[in-house]
Amino acid sequence: MSINSLIPDNSEKGTGLILEYRDLYLFQVSGRKHRTETGERFFAGIGGHCEEGEGFIQAAKREAVEETGKTVEITHSARTDIVQSNGGVVDTIELPSPAPRMIYKMLDRRKSLPEKGPYFIACFNAYFTDDAPFELDPEEVSALIAIPEELLCGSLERKIGLEDILSSGGEIVAGYLEARTMLFPLGTAVALANLLKRDKGLSEVDYD
């Protein structure tokens, strides 16, 4: 079984990276070229569409360099969750290494965009392989933010701003974010937040 065998043939394919930074989760904030409402930006996992003839791992590594200026190493996940657009997990399977942490059917909630066909993201655990400084293209990525699990999960219910990030122990790792900008999760950030909420709920049930 492969990732491609789990995704319908007529679908767009992409990758997202689950990266930790000082025990926080690292995300990119959308750049100037992305369409959002005035005063808002989205945050998502580093990653993007697979180009024609490009594999998921190749795409993930390319996007990391393009969006952060740094290289990454993909790590294997012992389980891969198949996640619906509403965050529900429909199946958990084992895939050959390096397997993604999840495969997510993305729903783009930006109202200003025309409706598109299905878009599936293979979300991989990864880490940076060098200590080089981050290099951002403001057109693509305005900032990199590191936020704790609780704030990530909370962003499913409300938009977050700079004050929320800093007061929760998060930080702006690179780039610039205006204080009044409100952020909402997209893609990998939504999928990971839902997965973390689910895992926490299951552990609390087991504990009880």
Side-chain angles (χ1 to χ4, degrees):
M1 185 181 294
S2 67
I3 301 174
N4 282 313
S5 69
L6 299 167
I7 298 176
D9 291 337
N10 65 335
S11 305
E12 288 188 75
K13 301 173 185 178
T15 62
L17 296 178
I18 301 170
L19 289 157
E20 293 190 35
Y21 179 87
R22 299 177 183 171
D23 297 322
L24 306 169
Y25 288 103
L26 185 75
F27 299 99
Q28 58 148 313
V29 177
S30 58
R32 291 192 293 252
K33 80 169 192 177
H34 297 98
R35 293 165 57 185
T36 53
E37 298 294 327
T38 302
E40 295 185 357
R41 292 192 183 278
F42 65 80
F43 66 95
I46 292 159
H49 287 77
C50 294
E51 296 180 352
E52 180 142 4
E54 188 176 45
F56 289 97
I57 300 297
Q58 183 183 3
K61 291 185 175 183
R62 173 184 55 77
E63 289 283 356
V65 173
E66 291 179 359
E67 294 182 349
T68 72
K70 293 166 69 73
T71 58
V72 296
E73 186 65 34
I74 306 296
T75 61
H76 174 67
S77 178
R79 82 182 210 212
T80 298
D81 288 329
I82 312 300
V83 184
Q84 293 177 308
S85 57
N86 64 2
V89 176
V90 295
D91 199 3
T92 298
I93 59 175
E94 293 183 17
L95 290 173
S97 180
R101 177 64 189 83
M102 71 188 98
I103 298 172
Y104 171 59
K105 183 179 180 180
M106 177 178 162
L107 176 65
D108 198 328
R109 294 178 172 83
R110 288 175 289 171
K111 296 178 182 178
S112 60
L113 296 184
E115 200 166 323
K116 295 183 178 180
Y119 177 37
F120 288 82
I121 307 174
C123 306
F124 295 90
N125 293 321
Y127 63 91
F128 291 112
T129 60
D130 60 72
D131 295 323
F134 291 104
E135 296 179 8
L136 311 183
D137 175 0
E139 287 294 317
E140 294 280 349
V141 179
S142 59
L144 297 178
I145 59 173
I147 61 178
E149 178 179 324
E150 185 175 353
L151 183 60
L152 173 59
C153 293
S155 71
L156 292 172
E157 308 299 330
R158 65 177 181 87
K159 296 179 176 69
I160 62 174
L162 180 58
E163 183 178 345
D164 296 303
I165 295 171
L166 299 180
S167 65
S168 67
E171 60 181 289
I172 307 300
V173 177
Y176 175 73
L177 181 63
E178 292 186 4
R180 295 183 179 180
T181 303
M182 300 306 293
L183 304 172
F184 61 93
L186 198 68
T188 301
V190 172
L192 180 59
N194 277 298
L195 211 60
L196 291 171
K197 287 184 69 173
R198 171 181 175 269
D199 288 349
K200 182 178 180 181
L202 289 175
S203 66
E204 289 175 348
V205 169
D206 291 341
Y207 180 79
D208 293 341

